[in-house]
Amino acid sequence: MRFSKWHALGNTYVILERGELGRTLDPELARRVCDVRYGVGSDGIVEVVVDEGPRADVLIWNPDGSVAEFSGNGSRIAAAWLGARAGTAQVTIGVDGRAYPAVIREDGTVAMGVGDVEVGPTETVELAGERVELTPVSVGNPHAVVRGDAGRGELLRLGPRLETHERFPERTNVQLVRVDGPNMLTALVWERGAGETSASGSSAVAAAAAAVTNGWCESPVSVRMPGGVLRVELDEEARVTLVGPAEEICVGELRG
């Protein structure tokens, strides 16, 4: 099967067209494709079904074989791929029944309208006797934003425990954020089904939305992650635009 591999700030996705697969993509195949030893190696798969005109519907696969409701980076990568294929700067990506308009800018960045984001009130959960304060956010997929020292050791300690906490029956993505200024955050990401990642689009949106709602920052918010910076713009009605790069790494053919 033919594929292309892309990255958004080091967050890698393999693009597979459903019509090119020759078989049904399933959890076992998704895990193999993402495996760095026996497959292509990636943080996920974007399974694409191209519609008429500059629109495509996508299914986002995590490397553990589960399906994500949304991926900000994966969707922007799909937009860049479709824009190059269709020869247009304006495309629409459908994910889990929602439509996301995107514009590929002249500098190569992709600006995607993420729509409404739901930020819940700050709450406290118990982790083996430890009390952790978090802000729950829905970007089509679940997030738990924790404000604190954005250190990797703390992420590796809290990330997997919060991901599988009973508060989140479908598991959750986790962001450990530090406020660096009125328009700047540093964030480390523990991604549901993938673990620690260099960058995450939906996590950047969740972190920025929590920061604006809680009064930590003002829009627009630049979210700095290990892989680089994503820009998040929120209007007065909590509608969000996510801006950042998406670049093709290689194309090839996966056998078997």
Side-chain angles (χ1 to χ4, degrees):
M1 67 190 78
R2 289 182 292 180
F3 71 88
S4 61
K5 184 175 179 179
W6 292 64
H7 84 94
L9 301 181
N11 190 204
T12 57
Y13 281 86
V14 170
I15 291 186
L16 296 174
E17 286 190 73
R18 186 171 295 175
E20 296 283 345
L21 286 174
R23 59 173 289 188
T24 302
L25 187 59
D26 54 34
E28 180 181 356
L29 180 56
R31 287 191 292 268
R32 183 168 68 84
V33 171
C34 292
D35 192 281
V36 70
R37 295 172 297 277
Y38 301 107
V40 179
S42 71
D43 295 315
I45 297 171
V46 180
E47 183 182 1
V48 182
V49 179
V50 179
D51 293 340
E52 292 286 335
R55 179 190 167 96
D57 291 316
V58 306
L59 193 64
I60 308 291
W61 292 83
N62 293 317
D64 67 353
S66 61
V67 175
E69 299 95 336
F70 180 65
S71 164
N73 280 343
S75 299
R76 287 190 306 101
I77 284 171
W81 174 86
L82 181 61
R85 173 190 173 110
T88 180
Q90 298 187 38
V91 301
T92 300
I93 301 298
V95 187
D96 197 32
R98 300 173 70 181
Y100 299 93
V103 176
I104 297 88
R105 296 178 173 175
E106 291 185 359
D107 63 0
T109 60
V110 180
M112 173 167 279
V114 178
D116 299 329
V117 175
E118 298 177 8
V119 180
T122 298
E123 59 188 74
T124 302
V125 299
E126 294 278 349
L127 287 176
E130 178 183 5
R131 295 172 63 83
V132 177
E133 189 175 87
L134 60 86
T135 301
V137 182
S138 174
V139 188
N141 57 350
H143 297 264
V145 181
V146 179
R147 182 177 180 178
D149 179 21
R152 183 170 182 264
E154 190 71 351
L155 177 76
L156 298 180
R157 188 180 73 84
L158 290 178
R161 297 164 69 195
L162 282 173
E163 177 192 359
T164 57
H165 192 277
E166 61 183 10
R167 162 64 176 82
F168 304 101
E170 302 298 325
R171 299 186 294 162
T172 188
N173 302 284
V174 180
Q175 299 80 39
L176 188 60
V177 304
R178 183 184 70 222
V179 179
D180 297 325
N183 303 98
M184 174 67 75
L185 294 174
T186 292
L188 298 180
V189 177
W190 183 269
E191 199 165 3
R192 180 182 58 168
E196 181 185 18
T197 57
S198 66
S200 165
S202 64
S203 289
V205 169
V212 171
T213 300
N214 290 329
W216 309 337
C217 292
E218 299 176 352
S219 178
V221 181
S222 294
V223 183
R224 181 169 50 211
M225 294 170 285
V229 178
L230 292 173
R231 178 182 170 95
V232 182
E233 303 166 356
L234 296 90
D235 68 15
E236 295 180 353
E237 297 181 0
R239 290 177 301 214
V240 176
T241 300
L242 174 65
V243 184
E247 301 177 359
E248 187 176 56
I249 299 171
C250 65
V251 297
E253 184 173 348
L254 185 68
R255 301 188 182 278

